[in-house]
Amino acid sequence: MAETSPPLKDELDIVIPTIRNLDFLEMWRPYFEPYHLIIVQDGDPSKTIKVPSGFDYELYNRNDINKLLGPRASCISFKDSACRCFGYMVSKKKYIFTIDDDCFVANDPSGKQINALEQHIKNLLCPSTPLFFNTLYDPFREGADFVRGYPFSLREGVPTAISHGLWLNIPDYDAPTQLVKPLERNTRYVDTVLTIPKGTLFPMCGMNLAFDRDLIGPAMYFGLMGDGQPIGRYDDMWAGWCCKVVCDHLGLGIKTGLPYIFHSKASNPFVNLRKEYKGIFWQEDIIPFFQNLVLPKECTTVQKCYIEMSKQVKDKLSKLDPYFDKLADAMVTWIEAWDQLNPATAS
Amino acid sequence: MAETSPPLKDELDIVIPTIRNLDFLEMWRPYFEPYHLIIVQDGDPSKTIKVPSGFDYELYNRNDINKLLGPRASCISFKDSACRCFGYMVSKKKYIFTIDDDCFVANDPSGKQINALEQHIKNLLCPSTPLFFNTLYDPFREGADFVRGYPFSLREGVPTAISHGLWLNIPDYDAPTQLVKPLERNTRYVDTVLTIPKGTLFPMCGMNLAFDRDLIGPAMYFGLMGDGQPIGRYDDMWAGWCCKVVCDHLGLGIKTGLPYIFHSKASNPFVNLRKEYKGIFWQEDIIPFFQNLVLPKECTTVQKCYIEMSKQVKDKLSKLDPYFDKLADAMVTWIEAWDQLNPATAS
């Protein structure tokens, strides 16, 4: 009897940013072992990261990144999990799943282990419906459909570019909320997947995230964070805002909801506050910037959209702080580096 | 020991449109008996509707509607549950809950009966967040909050005008979907409430719906349906599209999700197809119309918004069918009738 091959086995890479031995993979073994891993080692490159035996992986440390990208390596953050986006760039697969190394397998309410990757793949392989809200949530899920009053012309939906998964146990709160609610745990399993409507921004978390590289890869840049930068913990947020604007412009969809992972440990809220506090101010201007950002019709590829966005960041956000001038330049460098490593799809 | 009074006991009316004896109220007795009911009797006014003893109610049949509104009664549909909106108009309370007479008490996954009205009241009394999507859904619910990256300036939210509840068992499908999937039942209990984002339309179902009359009442018009009209089963949809545009303009929120009711019986798909088929065509033009509808700044009240909307319906939808000319006039008549019965809040 032939075994069933895991879905998208040869078309998906799992990207893991880390500074430590990857013991967390033991719990994921039944789900991740068939797939190829791209490990992006952050911090001291002389340190050896142990990967449990049996996993198929490639590992890049800072020296590797510098060697591969040369001066363009400046766009890849150091000492911040934002470095993970190097893995998106170096992959040759159509799909990426990225997960933090403090995330474990969660259980559904019946006590059954959740195969997060399988659910992400389901999300990515069926359409999104950003143009009209369906009150029974994902109409493509078994046992659901479009409800009365949903226009038939919109029922084909649009291709799904991103699947944003959630977290049981430690919720993804900012430092102020962590400080105010140190004991809050997310125990509510909400059994749904839904499309974020067109024109609506959302806070994208990089902890448990999958996407279609071919559709949105070049916009999945996690910005300049960590070492030498005035800000941290906005890497995934930045990528999410950029990606949402590009998806809305190009007619692509973003889903959020299932699958859950179990997030084991809250990061230190005091450290987080130091990383976040400028972002807490800046996001009050960044959000209206992205809400009002219009991409011209000529922007027909992700790369073109992204370059145009970098110009508008420079024009409109640099007055907030010189950091945005540097970030706008890094966005251009990122696209150059992407095209260098992915010449077939270069802009 | 003093008994706890049911929430909003003196501030909420339950509106029920019906053509039959209200035996279904027996199951709702523990939840509805403390509240005042407004029963809108549809069809033959000489028929007597039996209401189980112990309920506090007023009942209006067609003769009553004609007597109260005179020639303006023409805006209230006949032989269609759209007539329920007369109950919204005649109420003197701040809040309305409306429910169909084939809807029963549902159970949550633990088997416990769901107090739908209590959940609607919770939804209405806490703010909505239409300006930015929160990935952990309703941030005001116990055990949840705003996630990292949610702008602090938007965390106060906006007042909630409408709470849209869902249905277990028979889903609210259109006739074509009913015909294709006669056996589909909704068995998925999705434990969430969320705000429909600003700028996004949704299909509002009138089966299990609550709203704040003071905030949105005059826009909750269920249109011209049934007897003498070319269309049925678009009454709640029409109201939903109008309300969403007005809420977006006035900075009000609409929530959907919990509570569930148990919808017992699918209506006849062949009859439904006859009522719906023009709507299925027309909605392809109506949706873009509402998506592009802009209300001028001068429209500072629901009534002003609604009158302006009636003008745009006449201007832009009449070419679709003369029906919309009649509907636009009825929208004006509805506001006149509303102001007649509610002089204190008249435009």
Side-chain angles (χ1 to χ4, degrees):
Chain A
M1 295 280 284
E3 260 185 47
T4 319
S5 181
L8 301 183
K9 185 187 163 332
D10 299 318
E11 293 177 75
L12 182 141
D13 283 337
I14 300 176
V15 171
I16 304 164
T18 195
I19 54 168
R20 54 188 153 190
N21 296 331
L22 292 179
D23 306 324
F24 92 112
L25 283 173
E26 284 300 351
M27 195 182 189
W28 289 105
R29 189 180 286 278
Y31 310 108
F32 291 177
E33 209 173 14
Y35 295 88
H36 181 69
L37 313 182
I38 297 178
I39 298 161
V40 184
Q41 178 180 349
D42 197 19
D44 181 3
S46 72
K47 200 180 152 187
T48 302
I49 300 285
K50 282 189 202 143
V51 181
S53 66
F55 285 92
D56 168 43
Y57 70 93
E58 55 195 305
L59 184 150
Y60 298 90
N61 64 27
R62 192 69 209 183
N63 295 336
D64 302 318
I65 296 171
N66 290 340
K67 207 183 307 172
L68 266 158
L69 295 183
R72 287 177 181 147
S74 62
C75 74
I76 304 296
S77 298
F78 187 48
K79 295 194 180 167
D80 191 287
S81 75
C83 68
R84 77 174 81 207
C85 65
F86 177 76
Y88 311 158
M89 182 185 268
V90 86
S91 165
K92 292 286 163 278
K93 306 284 174 61
K94 182 168 164 59
Y95 299 98
I96 297 285
F97 171 50
T98 184
I99 185 167
D100 279 6
D101 63 6
D102 63 346
C103 292
F104 295 90
V105 180
N107 294 326
D108 72 17
S110 76
K112 203 179 148 224
Q113 284 203 338
I114 297 165
N115 184 343
L117 183 48
E118 186 181 45
Q119 179 67 46
H120 276 299
I121 289 170
K122 275 187 194 168
N123 294 349
L124 288 171
L125 294 186
C126 84
S128 290
T129 50
L131 299 173
F132 198 86
F133 189 87
N134 193 49
T135 51
L136 287 186
Y137 310 105
D138 187 347
F140 300 105
R141 199 168 168 200
E142 207 188 339
D145 212 313
F146 293 97
V147 301
R148 179 170 57 92
Y150 202 103
F152 281 83
S153 63
L154 298 179
R155 294 192 186 194
E156 271 187 34
V158 304
T160 301
I162 298 175
S163 167
H164 178 259
L166 300 176
W167 345 275
L168 289 172
N169 196 41
I170 306 286
D172 187 30
Y173 287 164
D174 47 58
T177 309
Q178 279 186 296
L179 288 164
V180 171
K181 292 179 154 182
L183 299 179
E184 190 150 290
R185 297 294 176 266
N186 186 24
T187 58
R188 187 175 294 126
Y189 180 93
V190 177
D191 186 14
T192 198
V193 177
L194 58 92
T195 299
I196 318 248
K198 185 173 177 180
T200 301
L201 293 175
F202 78 114
M204 188 179 82
C205 171
M207 224 187 294
N208 170 26
L209 182 72
F211 61 92
D212 183 324
R213 264 182 98 247
D214 290 353
L215 290 179
I216 198 65
M220 201 52 94
Y221 175 46
F222 272 43
L224 294 175
M225 303 282 147
D227 199 49
Q229 309 301 340
I231 186 178
R233 283 171 62 82
Y234 273 87
D235 50 341
D236 41 7
M237 297 299 139
W238 183 260
W241 297 326
C242 291
C243 283
K244 187 59 169 59
V245 169
V246 174
C247 283
D248 283 353
H249 176 73
L250 294 178
L252 303 170
I254 300 181
K255 292 185 178 180
T256 184
L258 302 183
Y260 286 94
I261 50 79
F262 184 90
H263 185 206
S264 63
K265 197 169 165 291
S267 44
N268 185 314
F270 299 97
V271 173
N272 291 346
L273 188 60
R274 185 168 45 71
K275 293 178 180 175
E276 281 175 16
Y277 81 96
K278 283 177 192 259
I280 286 172
F281 288 100
W282 291 344
Q283 72 186 356
E284 299 295 337
D285 291 283
I286 296 173
I287 299 299
F289 165 76
F290 280 110
Q291 282 174 334
N292 296 312
L293 202 162
V294 178
L295 292 168
K297 273 189 192 161
E298 301 77 68
C299 294
T300 51
T301 66
V302 179
Q303 277 98 329
K304 284 180 187 166
C305 290
Y306 206 71
I307 293 292
E308 169 63 25
M309 233 165 9
S310 76
K311 288 179 193 159
Q312 297 199 27
V313 168
K314 193 169 272 251
D315 276 4
K316 293 182 181 152
L317 292 180
S318 289
K319 58 173 182 279
L320 214 57
D321 193 276
Y323 166 73
F324 290 95
D325 204 51
K326 214 165 50 167
L327 179 57
D329 291 337
M331 290 168 75
V332 176
T333 307
W334 159 264
I335 293 293
E336 290 168 355
W338 183 281
D339 288 350
Q340 173 193 331
L341 295 189
N342 299 274
T345 62
S347 38
Chain B
M1 296 281 284
E3 262 184 45
T4 319
S5 182
L8 301 183
K9 184 187 163 332
D10 299 318
E11 294 178 74
L12 181 142
D13 283 336
I14 300 175
V15 171
I16 303 164
T18 194
I19 53 168
R20 55 188 151 189
N21 296 332
L22 292 179
D23 306 325
F24 92 113
L25 284 173
E26 283 301 350
M27 195 184 189
W28 288 105
R29 189 178 286 279
Y31 309 107
F32 291 177
E33 208 172 14
Y35 295 88
H36 181 69
L37 312 182
I38 297 178
I39 298 160
V40 183
Q41 178 180 350
D42 198 18
D44 181 3
S46 71
K47 200 180 152 188
T48 302
I49 300 285
K50 281 188 202 146
V51 181
S53 65
F55 285 92
D56 168 44
Y57 69 93
E58 54 195 305
L59 184 149
Y60 298 90
N61 64 27
R62 192 69 208 182
N63 295 337
D64 302 317
I65 296 172
N66 290 340
K67 207 184 305 173
L68 266 158
L69 295 183
R72 288 178 181 146
S74 62
C75 73
I76 305 296
S77 298
F78 187 47
K79 296 194 181 168
D80 192 285
S81 75
C83 69
R84 77 173 80 205
C85 65
F86 177 75
Y88 311 158
M89 182 185 267
V90 86
S91 165
K92 292 286 163 280
K93 306 283 174 62
K94 182 168 165 58
Y95 299 98
I96 297 285
F97 171 49
T98 184
I99 185 168
D100 280 7
D101 63 7
D102 63 347
C103 292
F104 295 89
V105 180
N107 294 327
D108 71 17
S110 76
K112 204 179 147 221
Q113 284 203 339
I114 297 165
N115 184 343
L117 183 48
E118 187 180 44
Q119 179 67 47
H120 276 299
I121 290 170
K122 276 187 194 167
N123 294 349
L124 288 171
L125 293 186
C126 84
S128 290
T129 51
L131 299 173
F132 198 84
F133 189 87
N134 192 49
T135 51
L136 287 185
Y137 311 104
D138 187 347
F140 300 104
R141 198 167 168 200
E142 207 187 340
D145 212 313
F146 293 96
V147 300
R148 180 170 57 92
Y150 201 104
F152 280 83
S153 63
L154 298 178
R155 294 191 186 193
E156 272 187 35
V158 305
T160 301
I162 298 174
S163 167
H164 179 258
L166 300 177
W167 344 275
L168 290 171
N169 195 41
I170 305 287
D172 187 30
Y173 287 164
D174 48 57
T177 308
Q178 280 186 298
L179 288 164
V180 171
K181 292 179 154 183
L183 299 180
E184 189 150 291
R185 297 293 177 267
N186 186 24
T187 58
R188 186 176 294 125
Y189 180 93
V190 177
D191 186 14
T192 198
V193 177
L194 57 91
T195 299
I196 318 247
K198 185 174 176 178
T200 301
L201 294 175
F202 78 113
M204 187 178 83
C205 170
M207 225 188 292
N208 170 27
L209 181 73
F211 61 93
D212 183 324
R213 264 182 98 247
D214 290 353
L215 290 179
I216 198 66
M220 201 53 93
Y221 176 44
F222 272 43
L224 294 175
M225 303 282 146
D227 198 49
Q229 308 301 339
I231 186 177
R233 284 171 59 84
Y234 273 88
D235 50 340
D236 41 7
M237 297 299 139
W238 183 260
W241 298 326
C242 291
C243 283
K244 188 60 169 60
V245 169
V246 173
C247 283
D248 283 352
H249 176 74
L250 294 177
L252 303 170
I254 300 181
K255 292 184 178 180
T256 185
L258 303 182
Y260 286 95
I261 50 80
F262 184 90
H263 185 206
S264 62
K265 195 167 167 292
S267 44
N268 185 315
F270 298 98
V271 173
N272 291 346
L273 187 61
R274 185 168 46 71
K275 293 178 179 176
E276 280 175 17
Y277 81 96
K278 283 177 191 260
I280 286 172
F281 287 101
W282 290 345
Q283 72 186 356
E284 299 295 337
D285 291 284
I286 296 173
I287 299 299
F289 166 76
F290 280 110
Q291 282 173 334
N292 296 312
L293 202 161
V294 178
L295 292 168
K297 272 188 192 163
E298 301 78 69
C299 294
T300 50
T301 66
V302 179
Q303 276 98 330
K304 284 180 188 166
C305 290
Y306 206 71
I307 293 293
E308 169 64 24
M309 236 166 6
S310 76
K311 288 179 193 158
Q312 297 198 29
V313 167
K314 193 169 271 253
D315 275 4
K316 292 180 183 154
L317 292 180
S318 288
K319 59 173 180 281
L320 214 57
D321 193 277
Y323 166 73
F324 290 94
D325 203 52
K326 211 163 56 166
L327 178 56
D329 291 337
M331 290 168 75
V332 176
T333 307
W334 159 264
I335 293 293
E336 290 167 356
W338 183 281
D339 287 351
Q340 173 192 331
L341 296 190
N342 299 273
T345 62
S347 38

